[in-house]
């Protein structure tokens, strides 16, 4: 019921697209400005992930300039928080 997922090592000035932030149904804990993106389940617990089920989230990350960071997500992690 409670989970978080994220990745890091992003270039300075990275951000999530406005379309994503306006429509994401969970919590955005880190938005990329500090080099990390961290997303979490809604604080009200309104979204569960069944065991073995896929969690599909389309994330658009915006970079200030051309950067090869988009080729690989570094530090990709997901956590079950209970």
């Amino acid at each position: 019921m409670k989970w978080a997922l994220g990745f890091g090592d992003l270039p300075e000035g990275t951000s999530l697209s406005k379309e994503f932030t306006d429509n994401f149904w969970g919590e955005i804990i880190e938005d990329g400005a500090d080099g990390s993106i961290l997303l979490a389940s809604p604080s009200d617990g309104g979204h569960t992930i069944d065991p073995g089920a896929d969690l599909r989230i389309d994330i658009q990350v915006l970079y200030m300039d051309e950067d090869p960071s988009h080729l690989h997500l570094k530090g990709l992690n997901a956590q079950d928080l209970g």
Side-chain angles (χ1 to χ4, degrees):
M1 293 194 56
K2 293 186 180 264
W3 51 266
L5 63 91
F7 49 94
D9 199 20
L10 300 169
E12 187 175 326
T14 298
S15 64
L16 292 167
S17 72
K18 181 166 176 22
E19 181 180 355
F20 177 80
T21 59
D22 286 349
N23 294 299
F24 183 59
W25 38 261
E27 284 191 63
I28 299 171
I29 298 170
E30 298 288 340
D31 65 3
D34 69 349
S36 297
I37 290 178
L38 184 60
L39 308 174
S41 54
S43 59
D44 64 5
H47 190 90
T48 61
I49 304 169
D50 295 326
D54 291 339
L55 172 62
R56 297 184 189 272
I57 300 175
D58 292 322
I59 302 170
Q60 184 178 19
V61 178
L62 305 175
Y63 300 98
M64 293 293 291
D65 54 24
E66 286 190 38
D67 191 286
S69 298
H70 72 279
L71 298 174
H72 301 283
L73 294 179
K74 296 180 181 175
L76 180 62
N77 67 79
Q79 300 173 0
D80 178 0
L81 302 176

